[in-house]
Amino acid sequence: QLWHHFQALETGIFKPNLRRGGVKEVELIKNAIKWPKLQGYTFYTFVLIIVGGRAIYAASTNWINDKDYVDGNVTVVANTKIMPYTTWIPFDYNESPLYELVFVFQIFATVVYGFYIGATDALICGFMMMIKSQFLIIKNSLDRLVAKAQSDEIEDADRIELLDEKSQKIAAKLTNECVFHHQELIAMCEKAEDTFCYLMLLQFLSSLLIVCFALFQLSTLSPSSVQFFSMVNYLLLMGFQLLCYCWHGNEVQLVSGLISSYAYDINWVILNESIKKSLILLMMRSQRPCYFTAGKFSLLSLETFMTIIRGGGSYFMFLRQMNS
């Protein structure tokens, strides 16, 4: 379904058209691609810092820890080595080369998994950025509508002169293209919302659970410990992940709601009545902005993100007081 949405953005009315919007359309698309790339690289940097910190800590403190357990009536002392992450292994990995192999496997698997999550987030947020760029392309088309329809610039006069008949036909065609583009974009947003809403709900619930567990562990750790530093970085990564979804969702909602203002700002007074009616219909439809939600319950917006941050801060202070 995601691939189908991306293919739709590369065909038909959504395909960048130099004759329609000039070089600026290509610049808008390139800008929409640039930001998800930057988001992905930032996520990868967080992953490398978190996993690398755990690897350095485990490697530098790789001393033998004594762990007692009871085997029948005999107390046995087992020598275990520190791993980057505490996992259950179905064999004894304390001897070389098994220890080194398991150590490398944990680091490699965690980094690959983190990169996979970061790439998936960048892909979905990139789709939101492409939707935003399509609304900006409509804005650019509206800005150029009158200038493309005019054969020459209209000089200031005592009264407003309407465009000639030929220019009116060109303006009507361009206006119909903008209206059609807007309708198709709204339809795509609605389909994408139905596709992603429950995925976003699962993402939000899992991220919120991770944030709660991380805050609980932070409330029990010493600020000078390595575990505290690692957990803070992990918490920042989860916050960055939620911020990306909320930020891009908020941008789509904001830009789609401004289409009516963009249409009003053009020089519509020199257009005929039929074109003005088409622009009014465009403005009326854009009064209801497009949006993305988490399971139809919560909007992906900066307000939602701030609510999460405030709730997390209150939860952490409560846990801190309970453990003090």
Side-chain angles (χ1 to χ4, degrees):
Q1 290 178 335
L2 181 62
W3 182 247
H4 174 74
H5 291 315
F6 274 107
Q7 285 183 320
L9 286 172
E10 297 176 354
T11 57
I13 194 69
F14 302 118
K15 187 176 181 180
N17 189 340
L18 293 177
R19 297 183 61 184
R20 175 183 59 192
V23 182
K24 189 171 183 180
E25 281 202 16
V26 181
E27 294 177 352
L28 289 172
I29 297 298
K30 288 183 177 180
N31 188 62
I33 297 174
K34 178 183 71 175
W35 285 107
K37 282 186 176 181
L38 180 61
Q39 171 188 326
Y41 294 147
T42 305
F43 195 97
Y44 302 156
T45 303
F46 270 111
V47 171
L48 292 177
I49 291 175
I50 294 171
V51 180
R54 297 296 293 262
I56 294 174
Y57 169 72
S60 61
T61 57
N62 187 22
W63 59 75
I64 302 299
N65 292 315
D66 293 336
K67 181 180 180 181
D68 298 341
Y69 67 93
V70 178
D71 184 9
N73 296 324
V74 181
T75 300
V76 180
V77 178
N79 295 323
T80 58
K81 294 184 178 180
I82 294 177
M83 281 291 177
Y85 295 95
T86 304
T87 55
W88 178 81
I89 306 295
F91 54 84
D92 185 11
Y93 56 83
N94 289 286
E95 301 296 332
S96 297
L98 290 179
Y99 171 75
E100 289 78 9
L101 290 175
V102 174
F103 191 99
V104 172
F105 171 75
Q106 281 195 355
I107 298 301
F108 175 77
T110 309
V111 169
V112 170
Y113 183 56
F115 279 19
Y116 171 77
I117 295 175
T120 304
D121 292 341
L123 188 66
I124 297 177
C125 291
F127 177 78
M128 295 183 188
M129 284 295 295
M130 294 296 289
I131 293 294
K132 175 188 174 183
S133 68
Q134 289 295 324
F135 281 110
L136 293 177
I137 287 175
I138 295 176
K139 173 187 179 299
N140 183 56
S141 299
L142 290 170
D143 292 339
R144 292 165 52 92
L145 190 149
V146 176
K148 289 183 66 176
Q150 286 177 305
S151 57
D152 54 0
E153 294 293 332
I154 296 179
E155 301 293 339
D156 292 335
D158 294 335
R159 64 189 183 91
I160 298 175
E161 296 288 345
L162 296 179
L163 293 178
D164 56 72
E165 185 177 353
K166 180 180 178 181
S167 298
Q168 293 286 1
K169 290 181 179 180
I170 297 175
K173 179 181 178 181
L174 296 174
T175 303
N176 291 335
E177 288 181 358
C178 289
V179 173
F180 177 73
H181 192 173
H182 187 244
Q183 291 176 343
E184 290 294 307
L185 186 55
I186 290 174
M188 171 172 283
C189 288
E190 292 175 351
K191 291 180 181 178
E193 161 64 11
D194 293 336
T195 301
F196 298 136
C197 65
Y198 298 109
L199 178 63
M200 292 297 98
L201 177 63
L202 181 62
Q203 173 68 46
F204 262 63
L205 291 178
S206 59
S207 296
L208 288 175
L209 284 175
I210 292 174
V211 168
C212 290
F213 287 131
L215 289 173
F216 176 75
Q217 293 192 24
L218 280 178
S219 66
T220 61
L221 295 173
S222 172
S224 59
S225 64
V226 177
Q227 291 84 352
F228 185 88
F229 174 77
S230 176
M231 194 57 61
V232 167
N233 285 325
Y234 189 52
L235 189 61
L236 290 175
L237 178 60
M238 290 296 100
F240 174 74
Q241 188 180 39
L242 290 174
L243 175 62
C244 288
Y245 284 110
C246 292
W247 175 274
H248 294 303
N250 188 80
E251 287 292 299
V252 171
Q253 184 180 356
L254 183 65
V255 175
S256 63
L258 291 175
I259 292 296
S260 59
S261 299
Y262 299 150
Y264 181 78
D265 289 338
I266 71 174
N267 191 14
W268 49 267
V269 293
I270 62 175
L271 303 175
N272 60 29
E273 295 300 321
S274 62
I275 300 177
K276 293 177 183 178
K277 290 180 180 179
S278 298
L279 290 174
I280 289 175
L281 292 176
L282 175 67
M283 295 168 66
M284 291 174 62
R285 180 59 184 86
S286 62
Q287 294 297 314
R288 187 179 62 187
C290 297
Y291 54 84
F292 291 94
T293 65
K296 308 291 185 181
F297 293 107
S298 178
L299 289 175
L300 298 183
S301 63
L302 292 179
E303 183 179 358
T304 302
F305 178 74
M306 292 307 301
T307 301
I308 295 173
I309 295 300
R310 287 193 296 266
S314 300
Y315 178 67
F316 175 75
M317 295 304 297
F318 172 76
L319 292 174
R320 200 69 177 175
Q321 291 179 358
M322 290 289 292
N323 293 320
S324 61

